[in-house]
Amino acid sequence: MHEYSIVQALVTQVEEQVQRHQARAVHAVWVQIGELSGVEVSLLETAYDLFREDTVCARAPLRVETVSATWECRTCGATRASAARENPSSVARGRRRNGGSRPAPSARLGAEGPLRCDLCSGEVRLARGDEIVLARLELEVA
Amino acid sequence: MCDSCGCGDSKIVPVEVQERVLAANDRQAAHNRAHFRERGVLTVNLMGSPGAGKTAVLESLSRHLNGSRKLGALAGDLATENDARRLQAAGIPSLAITTGSACHLDADMVHEALHELAWQDVDLLFVENVGNLVCPAVYDLGQDCNVVALAVTEGLDKPIKYPVMFKGADLVLLTKTDLLPHLSGVSLAEYEDSLKRVMPHFEAIPVCATTGQGLDRFAAWLEARRAATPRTTPAHAHHHHHAHGH
């Protein structure tokens, strides 16, 4: 699965940051994964555990911040979270709990009828929710 | 540095990065896109399940266009060069990209392939991605648009099962329409409803590669897309960091 190639890119990115900051070690890696990014978080975590050995990330836990999808109306600017029932108005940002399961994005996205603005039926665009971002690192520096 | 008593001179600091993990792929994709724009080539990332009819649609398009447009193709697969051979036989200069184990194409693979295909003078370049509704949606190749082939035999719930793929589609081709009479409880209207739930900008064309039905609309859609795509002049060209020039 492509999560392996994403982890390889991530580790390379972390190595670049280590060089840039002349860090001695990496203590944590924080990533943001949007629910509509196409990346499955549990697979990413498994791939990370496999690939981090013998790299700068060897002793750095991966912290994943999931980002819920937010659709923004191109006409009136109203925003709509895909998890409309859980978060009526705002972006939901949550840390994925180990062992917990969250509803598949498709179940929420598809269940609510045509993907248009609730207020004016205008076309929407995805404002948040497709991120695959290295957000921050905890680096040990001199 | 002293670790044992804590008087050591190293410290742990948070460093904000805020960079896309696939930034390197994105840069290569931008490079590809710049090449295409300079030459006025419309590049299409054609995706869909294995067996959805991607190759068949291209063969049919070639017949429909009948030489009025120059086509080119890169065909990605884990193994075999079958698709490239079929496309070549259909009159489309094609090159196979054999990925081995990768379930998707990426910008580097496309870039490498561009060295071996005479793409510069084509009007329409199709990148036929690996048959897969999951992974290809994640990787920018430098294409102008994403076209997803969805066969009417695949099931009405496929769009909501694969929202990332379908939300990123500029156009969905509903293929194998000639089989509709054999499928109970399935209609084009229902496929369209299903797609509207996950496509922010819904556009779908029913097609049948064997009869050619719908290919005129697909060809017209591609023409409109070409007309709307800016062609950049060499003065705006990107910086080359290759050892070889092209």
PDB file of all heavy atoms in Angstrom, chain B residues 8 10 13 50 53 86 95 157 186 195 199-200 240:
ATOM      1  N   GLY B   8      23.614  19.033  31.209  1.00  0.00           N
ATOM      2  CA  GLY B   8      24.039  18.931  29.810  1.00  0.00           C
ATOM      3  C   GLY B   8      23.578  20.098  28.977  1.00  0.00           C
ATOM      4  O   GLY B   8      22.582  20.752  29.273  1.00  0.00           O
ATOM      5  N   SER B  10      22.377  20.070  25.964  1.00  0.00           N
ATOM      6  CA  SER B  10      21.431  19.846  24.870  1.00  0.00           C
ATOM      7  C   SER B  10      20.029  20.053  25.411  1.00  0.00           C
ATOM      8  O   SER B  10      19.766  19.872  26.599  1.00  0.00           O
ATOM      9  CB  SER B  10      21.589  18.441  24.295  1.00  0.00           C
ATOM     10  OG  SER B  10      21.014  17.487  25.124  1.00  0.00           O
ATOM     11  N   VAL B  13      13.683  20.887  21.621  1.00  0.00           N
ATOM     12  CA  VAL B  13      12.883  22.027  21.172  1.00  0.00           C
ATOM     13  C   VAL B  13      11.855  21.600  20.141  1.00  0.00           C
ATOM     14  O   VAL B  13      12.103  20.700  19.341  1.00  0.00           O
ATOM     15  CB  VAL B  13      13.777  23.134  20.554  1.00  0.00           C
ATOM     16  CG1 VAL B  13      14.700  23.718  21.601  1.00  0.00           C
ATOM     17  CG2 VAL B  13      14.583  22.614  19.383  1.00  0.00           C
ATOM     18  N   PRO B  50      -9.302  -2.051 -11.680  1.00  0.00           N
ATOM     19  CA  PRO B  50      -8.867  -2.967 -12.734  1.00  0.00           C
ATOM     20  C   PRO B  50     -10.110  -3.464 -13.470  1.00  0.00           C
ATOM     21  O   PRO B  50     -11.077  -3.881 -12.833  1.00  0.00           O
ATOM     22  CB  PRO B  50      -8.212  -4.123 -11.965  1.00  0.00           C
ATOM     23  CG  PRO B  50      -7.937  -3.596 -10.604  1.00  0.00           C
ATOM     24  CD  PRO B  50      -8.964  -2.540 -10.337  1.00  0.00           C
ATOM     25  N   GLY B  53     -12.351  -0.434 -17.693  1.00  0.00           N
ATOM     26  CA  GLY B  53     -12.440  -0.084 -19.112  1.00  0.00           C
ATOM     27  C   GLY B  53     -11.600   1.110 -19.515  1.00  0.00           C
ATOM     28  O   GLY B  53     -11.900   1.781 -20.504  1.00  0.00           O
ATOM     29  N   ARG B  86      -1.813  -2.569 -26.644  1.00  0.00           N
ATOM     30  CA  ARG B  86      -3.165  -2.379 -27.186  1.00  0.00           C
ATOM     31  C   ARG B  86      -3.326  -0.948 -27.687  1.00  0.00           C
ATOM     32  O   ARG B  86      -3.883  -0.702 -28.750  1.00  0.00           O
ATOM     33  CB  ARG B  86      -4.212  -2.639 -26.099  1.00  0.00           C
ATOM     34  CG  ARG B  86      -4.546  -4.096 -25.884  1.00  0.00           C
ATOM     35  CD  ARG B  86      -5.452  -4.283 -24.684  1.00  0.00           C
ATOM     36  NE  ARG B  86      -6.733  -3.599 -24.825  1.00  0.00           N
ATOM     37  CZ  ARG B  86      -7.648  -3.559 -23.862  1.00  0.00           C
ATOM     38  NH1 ARG B  86      -7.410  -4.136 -22.690  1.00  0.00           N
ATOM     39  NH2 ARG B  86      -8.794  -2.935 -24.043  1.00  0.00           N
ATOM     40  N   LEU B  95       3.803   4.212 -24.201  1.00  0.00           N
ATOM     41  CA  LEU B  95       4.922   3.630 -23.474  1.00  0.00           C
ATOM     42  C   LEU B  95       4.385   3.004 -22.201  1.00  0.00           C
ATOM     43  O   LEU B  95       3.539   3.589 -21.522  1.00  0.00           O
ATOM     44  CB  LEU B  95       5.923   4.730 -23.112  1.00  0.00           C
ATOM     45  CG  LEU B  95       7.244   4.232 -22.562  1.00  0.00           C
ATOM     46  CD1 LEU B  95       8.124   3.744 -23.703  1.00  0.00           C
ATOM     47  CD2 LEU B  95       7.973   5.336 -21.804  1.00  0.00           C
ATOM     48  N   ASP B 157     -22.490   1.720  -4.783  1.00  0.00           N
ATOM     49  CA  ASP B 157     -21.869   2.293  -3.588  1.00  0.00           C
ATOM     50  C   ASP B 157     -20.377   2.572  -3.735  1.00  0.00           C
ATOM     51  O   ASP B 157     -19.731   3.025  -2.794  1.00  0.00           O
ATOM     52  CB  ASP B 157     -22.107   1.400  -2.368  1.00  0.00           C
ATOM     53  CG  ASP B 157     -21.543   0.001  -2.561  1.00  0.00           C
ATOM     54  OD1 ASP B 157     -21.020  -0.318  -3.668  1.00  0.00           O
ATOM     55  OD2 ASP B 157     -21.620  -0.788  -1.604  1.00  0.00           O
ATOM     56  N   VAL B 186     -30.213  -1.306 -11.234  1.00  0.00           N
ATOM     57  CA  VAL B 186     -29.133  -0.340 -11.443  1.00  0.00           C
ATOM     58  C   VAL B 186     -29.493   0.560 -12.613  1.00  0.00           C
ATOM     59  O   VAL B 186     -29.864   0.082 -13.674  1.00  0.00           O
ATOM     60  CB  VAL B 186     -27.813  -1.095 -11.754  1.00  0.00           C
ATOM     61  CG1 VAL B 186     -26.772  -0.149 -12.317  1.00  0.00           C
ATOM     62  CG2 VAL B 186     -27.273  -1.757 -10.502  1.00  0.00           C
ATOM     63  N   LEU B 195     -22.748   9.539  -7.253  1.00  0.00           N
ATOM     64  CA  LEU B 195     -21.570  10.384  -7.519  1.00  0.00           C
ATOM     65  C   LEU B 195     -21.762  11.793  -6.963  1.00  0.00           C
ATOM     66  O   LEU B 195     -20.814  12.412  -6.483  1.00  0.00           O
ATOM     67  CB  LEU B 195     -21.295  10.440  -9.014  1.00  0.00           C
ATOM     68  CG  LEU B 195     -20.721   9.154  -9.608  1.00  0.00           C
ATOM     69  CD1 LEU B 195     -20.782   9.207 -11.132  1.00  0.00           C
ATOM     70  CD2 LEU B 195     -19.289   8.925  -9.150  1.00  0.00           C
ATOM     71  N   MET B 199     -18.840  14.085  -5.185  1.00  0.00           N
ATOM     72  CA  MET B 199     -18.156  14.976  -6.124  1.00  0.00           C
ATOM     73  C   MET B 199     -18.642  16.397  -5.925  1.00  0.00           C
ATOM     74  O   MET B 199     -19.810  16.697  -6.199  1.00  0.00           O
ATOM     75  CB  MET B 199     -18.451  14.570  -7.585  1.00  0.00           C
ATOM     76  CG  MET B 199     -17.814  13.267  -8.008  1.00  0.00           C
ATOM     77  SD  MET B 199     -18.258  12.837  -9.719  1.00  0.00           S
ATOM     78  CE  MET B 199     -17.118  13.863 -10.657  1.00  0.00           C
ATOM     79  N   PRO B 200     -17.751  17.288  -5.476  1.00  0.00           N
ATOM     80  CA  PRO B 200     -18.204  18.669  -5.285  1.00  0.00           C
ATOM     81  C   PRO B 200     -18.615  19.321  -6.609  1.00  0.00           C
ATOM     82  O   PRO B 200     -19.492  20.170  -6.640  1.00  0.00           O
ATOM     83  CB  PRO B 200     -16.983  19.372  -4.676  1.00  0.00           C
ATOM     84  CG  PRO B 200     -15.836  18.463  -4.858  1.00  0.00           C
ATOM     85  CD  PRO B 200     -16.360  17.082  -5.064  1.00  0.00           C
ATOM     86  N   HIS B 240      15.653  24.224 -14.778  1.00  0.00           N
ATOM     87  CA  HIS B 240      16.008  22.817 -14.918  1.00  0.00           C
ATOM     88  C   HIS B 240      17.160  22.474 -14.018  1.00  0.00           C
ATOM     89  O   HIS B 240      18.170  23.153 -14.013  1.00  0.00           O
ATOM     90  CB  HIS B 240      16.446  22.528 -16.358  1.00  0.00           C
ATOM     91  CG  HIS B 240      15.363  21.907 -17.163  1.00  0.00           C
ATOM     92  ND1 HIS B 240      15.100  20.574 -17.143  1.00  0.00           N
ATOM     93  CD2 HIS B 240      14.450  22.460 -17.986  1.00  0.00           C
ATOM     94  CE1 HIS B 240      14.081  20.326 -17.948  1.00  0.00           C
ATOM     95  NE2 HIS B 240      13.670  21.449 -18.467  1.00  0.00           N
TER      96      HIS B 240
END
